[in-house]
Amino acid sequence: MKKWFAVIGDPIEHSKSPAMHNAWFEEMDIDATYIPIHVASHQLESAVAGLKTLGASGWNVTIPHKTAIIPYLDELDELAQKMGAVNTVVRTQEGKLKGYNTDGIGFVRSLEDAVGTTHKNKSVLLVGAGGAARGIAFAMQQQGYRDLTMANRTVANAQAIVDEMGMGRAISLQEAEETLADFSIIVQMTSAGLATGNFSMPFSLDRLTTEAIVADIVYNPLMTPFLQAAEEQGATIVTGLGMFVHQGAIAFEHWLGSYPNTNSMIAQLKAQLGGN
Ligand code: ATR
């Protein structure tokens, strides 16, 4: 029987997940489909019951439901539990709903696509301490990154994550700016300007070294002001597109047992988003 998958969120119209997963199903000759479903917060519980009753094999969860969905699931994997957020639900053989979070590992895969896996002992500066930053920090820790510093406008928010990880250091944005040359990998995860579309810089990159690797988790636009400034300084840049594609690929693997072709998907989406 044809399998079906979905992404639930509010808003949902702009999600690129349906086109991505449907393209993979076609490419890999898998008899399945993936649909976007608009679910408002007050409908979440009945939507989960409906997805279960109607036989969805799994689904993605996006804003604003990533944390709110947890009480309606039967189990969580370790990383989703630590993050307190789920972006992927799998219906197990026994009919149970298991929640995963593939965002953080998706970021690590994207970083490692660009720079390999030999950077685990290098100093990493994580900029931001919101939900996205939390996921990436835990995933980097789980994947063996050992030198993590988290900078945030509200230092106490970064300190809380560092305390929970039991490793790393929390600093202010000003200290990050002043000590930027000490870091090999810098990851921009604040939502500075996201809501207005008027992206702003959390701090100046004047002290960035040319050896630095600078990543942003935003992929639309591909080139954020942070990445633009980093490129002007001669650093290696990693856009948020790889993270988006890999988080989807890891979800796909949880559902169907195989890893889809991420390189060609990144190239296709990059062309759509105006990259070269
Ligand atoms: P997300 O889910 O995208 O991570 P979030 O949980 O609302 O969003 O977190 C937003 C992050 O961006 C936080 O680190 C926030 O800093 P505070 O903890 O001090 O609020 C950061 N942020 C938002 N607007 C910012 C701005 N104008 N300058 C610097 N940091 C900003």
Side-chain angles (χ1 to χ4, degrees):
M1 206 172 79
K2 194 181 192 87
K3 289 188 165 155
W4 71 279
F5 300 87
V7 55
I8 60 170
D10 181 16
I12 202 64
E13 311 76 67
H14 302 297
S15 172
K16 295 204 175 289
S17 292
M20 177 166 76
H21 285 279
N22 285 321
W24 280 331
F25 295 151
E26 198 172 319
E27 202 178 291
M28 296 167 77
D29 213 11
I30 293 170
D31 188 19
T33 193
Y34 183 114
I35 54 170
I37 304 179
H38 177 256
V39 174
S41 290
H42 71 276
Q43 301 170 312
L44 183 60
E45 183 173 9
S46 55
V48 171
L51 285 158
K52 204 171 168 179
T53 309
L54 297 175
S57 297
W59 59 91
N60 286 126
V61 182
T62 189
I63 290 164
H65 307 314
K66 289 186 178 188
T67 299
I69 196 168
I70 292 177
Y72 310 124
L73 304 178
D74 300 304
E75 30 179 331
L76 291 184
D77 98 320
E78 194 191 322
L79 213 43
Q81 176 106 41
K82 271 193 179 161
M83 292 177 195
V86 161
N87 78 334
T88 301
V89 176
V90 177
R91 186 214 285 270
T92 65
Q93 297 269 343
E94 302 77 45
K96 294 252 188 320
L97 300 181
K98 181 164 182 183
Y100 293 84
N101 195 314
T102 69
D103 287 330
I105 304 288
F107 171 76
V108 174
R109 296 235 174 121
S110 161
L111 178 70
E112 294 181 351
D113 267 357
V115 303
T117 55
T118 57
H119 287 66
K120 303 208 176 191
N121 291 321
K122 301 244 164 118
S123 53
V124 179
L125 176 65
L126 301 170
V127 185
R134 196 183 151 80
I136 287 177
F138 282 116
M140 290 190 89
Q141 179 183 35
Q142 194 217 42
Q143 297 295 303
Y145 288 81
R146 288 287 159 257
D147 186 354
L148 303 177
T149 300
M150 184 171 265
N152 197 42
R153 180 175 62 181
T154 312
V155 180
N157 294 346
Q159 188 62 51
I161 296 175
V162 163
D163 289 347
E164 257 187 85
M165 286 199 293
M167 68 180 276
R169 215 157 52 90
I171 62 174
S172 65
L173 294 179
Q174 189 186 341
E175 189 179 342
E177 180 174 304
E178 286 163 4
T179 58
L180 205 53
D182 298 343
F183 296 97
S184 303
I185 300 174
I186 294 141
V187 190
Q188 198 307 108
M189 306 174 292
T190 74
S191 55
L194 250 189
T196 54
N198 205 352
F199 289 81
S200 53
M201 296 278 291
F203 52 74
S204 142
L205 296 185
D206 287 352
R207 292 197 176 81
L208 193 69
T209 68
T210 52
E211 291 83 46
I213 296 149
V214 178
D216 202 313
I217 63 167
V218 169
Y219 68 89
N220 196 7
L222 270 182
M223 284 301 277
T224 61
F226 201 77
L227 291 182
Q228 255 158 24
E231 196 169 61
E232 279 159 24
Q233 296 281 111
T236 300
I237 61 162
V238 179
T239 72
L241 188 56
M243 173 180 172
F244 169 70
V245 172
H246 279 288
Q247 65 72 33
I250 301 165
F252 187 104
E253 188 178 32
H254 282 308
W255 294 326
L256 295 158
S258 50
Y259 209 73
N261 186 335
T262 48
N263 288 338
S264 70
M265 184 56 63
I266 290 169
Q268 279 173 48
L269 289 174
K270 200 170 172 182
Q272 275 179 31
L273 293 166
N276 43 45

